[in-house]
Amino acid sequence: MKLGTTLYTEQQIAARIAQIGAEIRRDVPVDEPVHVIAVLKGAFVFLADLVRQIPGTVTMDFIAVSSYGAGSKSSGQVRLLKDLDRSIEGRHVIIVEDIVDTGLTLSYLHEILWARAPKSLRTACLLSKPSRRKVAVPVEYTGFSIEDLFVVGYGLDYDEQYRQLPYIGVMDGID
Ligand code: 5GP
């Protein structure tokens, strides 16, 4: 398999993230902090760009869950690998995900995070593959909806490679 066509350029991604940052602040009162939780590892680039587009006070934390390993298909099993450092009770929380595919990861995160009594809980994902959804889970902010393609770059990997690409590209030769 090899890196194929570019799906979204650096400029397209930046423009969309600026819109999402403004939308998030429209939904959270301007005098209240937005607490952003990035899902490692894939969301680290999206997080870095998104937090710089949210006006007002922003705090952040990181959570890690098991994902695809070296392959490209989800096992359907979600495991917590690294928990948050701080409590989210009473906070306006935004989960920041690289991509929502089956929705299993996000629905697991919803379950464990709602149990911790945040004031609000919303999700921003850079990419979404609606045709692959196995569980219905709300996503308030979506960068781009895409077909059933395996994509890399801008934080997303294939076997830990390609995360550093500034754009989103399609991997060719993956079933
Ligand atoms: P879900 O639990 O929604 O099926 O999967 C979410 C996770 O699967 C994402 O956070 C991401 O790590 C991985 N994933 C899903 N689709 C892709 C893709 O096209 N490319 C890459 N690199 N990872 C993906």
Side-chain angles (χ1 to χ4, degrees):
M1 72 227 57
K2 62 181 181 57
L3 186 57
T5 51
T6 298
L7 205 54
Y8 296 105
T9 64
E10 204 174 340
Q11 292 72 19
Q12 288 173 312
I13 297 168
R16 187 70 189 105
I17 290 178
Q19 293 171 337
I20 294 176
E23 276 175 49
I24 289 174
R25 186 43 90 187
R26 271 199 294 276
D27 294 342
V28 176
V30 74
D31 54 343
E32 296 186 43
V34 172
H35 190 61
V36 175
I37 294 177
V39 186
L40 295 173
K41 300 176 197 169
F44 80 103
V45 181
F46 181 31
L47 169 89
D49 285 344
L50 180 62
V51 291
R52 288 179 285 176
Q53 298 296 333
I54 303 173
T57 304
V58 177
T59 54
M60 62 203 83
D61 205 343
F62 298 86
I63 198 165
V65 291
S66 57
S67 72
Y68 287 12
S72 65
K73 292 288 170 205
S74 175
S75 62
Q77 298 269 338
V78 184
R79 243 174 358 109
L80 188 61
L81 301 178
K82 182 220 168 286
D83 206 343
L84 300 171
D85 291 340
R86 304 281 296 274
S87 163
I88 59 168
E89 192 176 340
R91 295 178 192 261
H92 289 289
V93 173
I94 309 286
I95 302 171
V96 174
E97 257 278 38
D98 50 3
I99 185 163
V100 180
D101 184 26
T102 61
L104 290 166
T105 305
L106 192 55
S107 95
Y108 169 81
L109 289 172
H110 262 247
E111 197 180 308
I112 63 166
L113 296 180
W114 270 124
R116 300 179 188 188
K119 191 165 183 181
S120 64
L121 182 64
R122 299 183 176 92
T123 300
C125 70
L126 184 65
L127 300 167
S128 172
K129 295 185 201 171
S131 69
R132 294 255 312 152
R133 212 67 98 243
K134 285 187 180 155
V135 285
V137 55
V139 178
E140 285 74 12
Y141 317 99
T142 300
F144 306 99
S145 288
I146 64 170
E147 303 294 308
D148 183 10
L149 300 165
F150 193 81
V151 292
V152 295
Y154 201 77
L156 288 152
D157 76 313
Y158 178 73
D159 202 8
E160 291 303 326
Q161 292 182 64
Y162 307 109
R163 292 193 195 275
Q164 83 287 2
L165 296 178
Y167 59 90
I168 292 165
V170 179
M171 281 304 285
D172 286 338
I174 293 188
D175 59 13

